[in-house]
C-alpha cells in the first residue's frame, strides 16, 4: 500500500504525524518537569528553598489584604514563550527597599525566578545585598517553570532603572515608577480616580520629600502622615496600598522611625504585622 | 457629575496640568481660574502638577491620556517623573535632552501611538525652560516632536497665553 497518492500525503498519515508531534511535545514537557523536580531533590540548596518557601507562605499577609485578582496575560499581553524578566539596575549605595517588599509579595503570588548579580562597575557589595532576594536557585533550574523573572543587578547607576519588554517599553527610571509597575502586578489601583491619585501622590511624597527632603520637609510629611492615619487605618483609606509600602520604606530609610508621631507609630506596626517588610528592615541594619 | 475647579498660580503656571485640563474639558465639567495657589479641589485636593494631571487623565479615561495598557501607564509615570525631576530647573539639561532625543528617534509620540500625559508634561517643561530655545537645535528628534505638538490646539493657546505672562 502506498502512502502517497498523486503526490498528496494521506490525511490519515498527516493525523498520525500530528499526534506523534503532540506526544513528543508532552514528553519533552514531562522530561523538563522531572529534571526540575530532580534538581530540588538532589541539590544541596533544595532543603533551603523548601524552608524559605514554607516560611513565606506561613506569613500572615493573606490574599485578602490586596483586593482583586490579577492575571499576567491580561496585564502584560500574551506570554510569547520566553520568561517575562524584570531587570532592575540599582545602586548599592541606595538599596531600593520598596522593591524588596514588592518582590516578597510577588514571590507569594507568582512563581518568581529571582537572581542577584553584581556589575563590574561596583565592588565590595555587602553580603546582605547579595542575598536580599532570598536563596539563589540552581542555575540549571528550568526557566519555563517560572511565571516571572526578577533580576536585580547592583550597578553604579545614578538612578534606579528597570528594563522590561525592551522592544515596546523605554527603560523606566526611578524607584517610584518601578514600584507602581510592580504593584499593579499584585493588585489593581482603586477604581475611584481620586483614591488612585491619592495613592500616587503619597508615593511621590515618600520618594521626593521623605527620602530626599530636608529635615523640615520630613517633619511636614510626618505631620501629614499622622493626620491621614488619624482618619483611616491605611494611607489611602480602608485598603492597604502602594502608598503604605512607599511611605513605610521611606520613613525607615530617613531614620524617622523612632521620632514618628503616635498614629504613624501605630501604622508602622500594622505594616510590620503583615510580614514582607522584614527584608527591607534587615538591609538597613 | 460634580464640576471640577482648577485654580492656577499665575506666577508659577503648571503648564502640564493646564494642558491636561484643556484636553479633558470636552469630557468633564471643568473650570479654570487664576488664584494664589495651584490646586484641584476633589474630595481631597491635589496641588502638584503631576497629581492634577493624573487625576484629570483618570476622570476622562476614553481619551487615553494615561496610556492604553499597564506598560504604557508605566512609561507615562516614567516621563512624568522625568519632566518634574530632570527638566524643571534642574542642572544637566543637555544630558536629559540627549535621553529624550534617543527615546523620540523612532516615535511620533513619547508613549504608544497617541498623545499622553507624557507628551503634555515633557512639552510643558521644555516650553517653560529658559535654556530650551537655545538647546533645541542640537536635538533634532526632540525639536521635530516639540514643533509638531506646538502647532496644535491647545498647545498653541496655552503656550501663548501663559508663557508670555511668565516673562
Amino acid at each position: 500500500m502506498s502512502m502517497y497518492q498523486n503526490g498528496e500525503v494521506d490525511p490519515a498519515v498527516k493525523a498520525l504525524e500530528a499526534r506523534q508531534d503532540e506526544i513528543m511535545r508532552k514528553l519533552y514537557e514531562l522530561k523538563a518537569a522531572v529534571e526540575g523536580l530532580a534538581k530540588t531533590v538532589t541539590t544541596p540548596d533544595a532543603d533551603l528553598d523548601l524552608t524559605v518557601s514554607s516560611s513565606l507562605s506561613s506569613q500572615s499577609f493573606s490574599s485578602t489584604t490586596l483586593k482583586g485578582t490579577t492575571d499576567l496575560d491580561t496585564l502584560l499581553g500574551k506570554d510569547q514563550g520566553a520568561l517575562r524578566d524584570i531587570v532592575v539596575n540599582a545602586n548599592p549605595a541606595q538599596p531600593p527597599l520598596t522593591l524588596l517588599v514588592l518582590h516578597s509579595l510577588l514571590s507569594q503570588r507568582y512563581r518568581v525566578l529571582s537572581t542577584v548579580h553584581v556589575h563590574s562597575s561596583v565592588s565590595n557589595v555587602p553580603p546582605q545585598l547579595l542575598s536580599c532576594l532570598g536563596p539563589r536557585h540552581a542555575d540549571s533550574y528550568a526557566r519555563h517553570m517560572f511565571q516571572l523573572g526578577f533580576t536585580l543587578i547592583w550597578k553604579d547607576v545614578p538612578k534606579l532603572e528597570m528594563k522590561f519588554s525592551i522592544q515596546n517599553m523605554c527603560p523606566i527610571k526611578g524607584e517610584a515608577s518601578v514600584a507602581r509597575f510592580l504593584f499593579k502586578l499584585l493588585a489593581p489601583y482603586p477604581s475611584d480616580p481620586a483614591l488612585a491619585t491619592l495613592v500616587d501622590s503619597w508615593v511621590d511624597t515618600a520618594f521626593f520629600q521623605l527620602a530626599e527632603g530636608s529635615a523640615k520637609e520630613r517633619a511636614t510629611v510626618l505631620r501629614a502622615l499622622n493626620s491621614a492615619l488619624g482618619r483611616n487605618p491605611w494611607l489611602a483609606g480602608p485598603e492597604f496600598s502602594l502608598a503604605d509600602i512607599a511611605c513605610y520604606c521611606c520613613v525607615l530609610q530617613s531614620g524617622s522611625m523612632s521620632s514618628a508621631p503616635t498614629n504613624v507609630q501605630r501604622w508602622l506596626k500594622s505594616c510590620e504585622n503583615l510580614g514582607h517588610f522584614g527584608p527591607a528592615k534587615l538591609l538597613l541594619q | 457629575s460634580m464640576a471640577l475647579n482648577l485654580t492656577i498660580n499665575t506666577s508659577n503656571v503648571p503648564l502640564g496640568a493646564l494642558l491636561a485640563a484643556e484636553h479633558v474639558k470636552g469630557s468633564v465639567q471643568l473650570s479654570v481660574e487664576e488664584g494664589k495657589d495651584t490646586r484641584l479641589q476633589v474630595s481631597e485636593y491635589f496641588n502638584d502638577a503631576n497629581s492634577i494631571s493624573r487625576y484629570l487623565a483618570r476622570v476622562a479615561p476614553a481619551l487615553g491620556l494615561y496610556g492604553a495598557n499597564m506598560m504604557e501607564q508605566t512609561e507615562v509615570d516614567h516621563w512624568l517623573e522625568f519632566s518634574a525631576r530632570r527638566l524643571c530647573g534642574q542642572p544637566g539639561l543637555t544630558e536629559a535632552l540627549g535621553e529624550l532625543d534617543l527615546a523620540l528617534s523612532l516615535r511620533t509620540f513619547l508613549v504608544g501611538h497617541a498623545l499622553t500625559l507624557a507628551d503634555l508634561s515633557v512639552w510643558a517643561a521644555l516650553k517653560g525652560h529658559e535654556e530650551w530655545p537655545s538647546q533645541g537645535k542640537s536635538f533634532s528628534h526632540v525639536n521635530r516632536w516639540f514643533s509638531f505638538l506646538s502647532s496644535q490646539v491647545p498647545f498653541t493657546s496655552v503656550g501663548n497665553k501663559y508663557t508670555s505672562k511668565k516673562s
Side-chain angles (χ1 to χ4, degrees):
Chain A
M1 193 179 78
S2 165
M3 292 207 308
Y4 296 93
Q5 291 166 342
N6 307 325
E8 296 285 333
V9 180
D10 190 320
V13 174
K14 261 189 176 170
L16 261 176
E17 276 176 1
R19 256 190 78 192
Q20 186 179 352
D21 285 347
E22 178 64 9
I23 289 167
M24 289 306 285
R25 193 185 60 78
K26 282 186 176 156
L27 271 175
Y28 178 79
E29 276 179 8
L30 259 176
K31 180 171 173 275
V34 169
E35 273 173 8
L37 277 172
K39 280 278 178 263
T40 61
V41 175
T42 54
T43 57
D45 283 345
D47 286 348
L48 206 60
D49 281 354
L50 233 61
T51 322
V52 168
S53 56
S54 64
S55 75
L56 269 177
S57 57
S58 71
Q59 274 169 348
S60 60
F61 197 98
S62 66
S63 54
T64 50
T65 314
L66 293 172
K67 292 274 167 63
T69 51
T70 44
D71 169 61
L72 288 181
D73 280 347
T74 315
L75 290 171
L76 302 172
K78 198 107 185 74
D79 185 358
Q80 295 303 313
L83 181 70
R84 295 181 171 102
D85 201 5
I86 297 166
V87 179
V88 173
N89 291 322
N91 197 316
Q94 294 126 22
L97 302 186
T98 52
L99 303 198
L100 298 189
V101 176
L102 288 161
H103 169 266
S104 173
L105 284 161
L106 282 167
S107 303
Q108 193 178 47
R109 173 71 61 89
Y110 304 107
R111 294 186 304 277
V112 182
L113 177 59
S114 314
T115 344
V116 180
H117 296 282
V118 178
H119 187 259
S120 57
S121 60
V122 293
S123 52
N124 300 325
V125 175
Q128 68 266 32
L129 295 191
L130 297 177
S131 59
C132 66
L133 298 186
R136 195 185 167 140
H137 297 281
D139 285 333
S140 54
Y141 223 92
R143 283 170 75 84
H144 71 266
M145 290 177 71
F146 296 90
Q147 294 169 288
L148 213 53
F150 193 106
T151 305
L152 176 60
I153 303 170
W154 296 113
K155 188 175 175 180
D156 184 21
V157 281
K159 201 173 179 117
L160 180 133
E161 66 179 3
M162 175 186 80
K163 290 179 182 173
F164 179 77
S165 181
I166 47 172
Q167 304 90 334
N168 310 310
M169 257 172 112
C170 66
I172 304 301
K173 293 199 179 176
E175 193 175 335
S177 300
V178 176
R180 287 182 175 105
F181 172 78
L182 296 180
F183 190 80
K184 283 175 191 157
L185 296 175
L186 292 161
Y189 262 47
S191 55
D192 173 41
L195 267 186
T197 306
L198 186 62
V199 171
D200 280 324
S201 165
W202 277 121
V203 172
D204 281 349
T205 303
F207 283 107
F208 308 131
Q209 281 152 276
L210 261 182
E212 295 174 18
S214 62
K216 198 180 159 198
E217 267 182 293
R218 272 206 307 277
T220 310
V221 176
L222 283 173
R223 277 197 301 277
L225 283 172
N226 200 49
S227 128
L229 292 165
R231 298 190 297 271
N232 286 300
W234 303 107
L235 281 172
E239 311 275 340
F240 177 81
S241 75
L242 182 62
D244 300 291
I245 297 175
C247 287
Y248 177 97
C249 290
C250 293
V251 168
L252 180 65
Q253 203 144 31
S254 68
S256 323
M257 290 288 252
S258 51
S259 59
T262 329
N263 297 334
V264 179
Q265 295 280 1
R266 179 178 42 77
W267 161 83
L268 289 169
K269 290 223 168 57
S270 308
C271 289
E272 281 164 19
N273 287 340
L274 297 175
H276 297 282
F277 288 87
K281 219 172 170 181
L282 266 175
L283 216 57
L284 281 197
Q285 277 166 2
Chain B
S1 64
M2 197 185 65
L4 293 169
N5 182 262
L6 173 64
T7 309
I8 53 160
N9 173 359
T10 46
S11 61
N12 184 15
V13 178
L15 269 186
L18 205 55
L19 275 172
E22 287 298 322
H23 276 91
V24 304
K25 258 184 174 171
S27 313
V28 295
Q29 262 193 297
L30 172 80
S31 63
V32 178
E33 58 188 54
E34 299 179 356
K36 202 165 122 277
D37 298 305
T38 291
R39 86 162 37 199
L40 179 74
Q41 188 69 46
V42 195
S43 48
E44 317 239 349
Y45 65 86
F46 299 115
N47 60 5
D48 68 287
N50 281 355
S51 294
I52 294 172
S53 298
R54 282 187 166 107
Y55 179 81
L56 293 174
R58 282 174 171 140
V59 285
L63 298 178
L65 289 176
Y66 217 139
N69 55 48
M70 184 188 147
M71 285 177 284
E72 289 190 11
Q73 278 173 23
T74 304
E75 287 186 275
V76 169
D77 285 331
H78 164 85
W79 292 115
L80 283 175
E81 179 173 335
F82 181 88
S83 56
R85 313 273 297 165
R86 305 279 308 279
L87 298 179
C88 288
Q90 311 292 323
L93 179 69
T94 311
E95 198 196 335
L97 285 171
E99 274 179 49
L100 189 57
D101 206 53
L102 192 66
L104 283 166
S105 60
L106 296 170
R107 287 169 177 265
T108 306
F109 297 101
L110 270 171
V111 176
H113 301 287
L115 192 79
T116 64
L117 292 184
D119 300 297
L120 305 188
S121 67
V122 173
W123 183 91
L126 287 184
K127 183 78 182 170
H129 204 294
E130 285 171 12
E131 288 174 44
W132 161 245
S134 59
Q135 292 244 14
K137 288 176 206 79
S138 327
F139 301 94
S140 61
H141 300 296
V142 187
N143 211 16
R144 160 184 50 79
W145 164 88
F146 188 81
S147 320
F148 164 63
L149 293 182
S150 301
S151 65
Q152 299 180 24
V153 181
F155 292 88
T156 32
S157 51
V158 169
N160 292 341
K161 188 170 175 195
Y162 289 100
T163 37
S164 51
K165 224 172 210 181
K166 196 179 175 186
S167 52

